[in-house]
Amino acid sequence: RHAGDGMPYTDVATPSRAYTHSPMHGPGITPVASPAHRGFGQATAVSVIAPGGGTGINGAVYAEVGQDPQFTLDYVGRSRAPYDCYPEYWPNGEPAPNLHSFA
């Protein structure tokens, strides 16, 4: 089995990897602890970056996950805020405040 990015799925409880990409720095890997590596009885913390996190279109999913005691959701930022636009080095980008200055 493979994910859409060609990386194999795994059922083994090992640290997973979230792939990130920055137009200035290229792809990078950020380690994310798998559920097997969190402390016993602790909820898994999930940070949702609201600009670009699909909080509107996926709102019902986020609400359902927020009701699950296995997870705690932390929303970082807001969609449609002044910084919810691409930085100047992107096509049609804008000066700060933008997603680069928000990060």
Side-chain angles (χ1 to χ4, degrees), residues 26-43:
I29 298 174
T30 304
V32 178
S34 67
H37 291 96
R38 61 184 153 95
F40 180 74
Q42 290 180 328

Side-chain angles (χ1 to χ4, degrees), residues 5-36:
D5 62 2
M7 298 300 296
Y9 285 114
T10 180
D11 296 322
V12 179
T14 58
S16 60
R17 294 179 179 201
Y19 289 85
T20 60
H21 178 76
S22 164
M24 293 186 68
H25 304 291
I29 298 174
T30 304
V32 178
S34 67

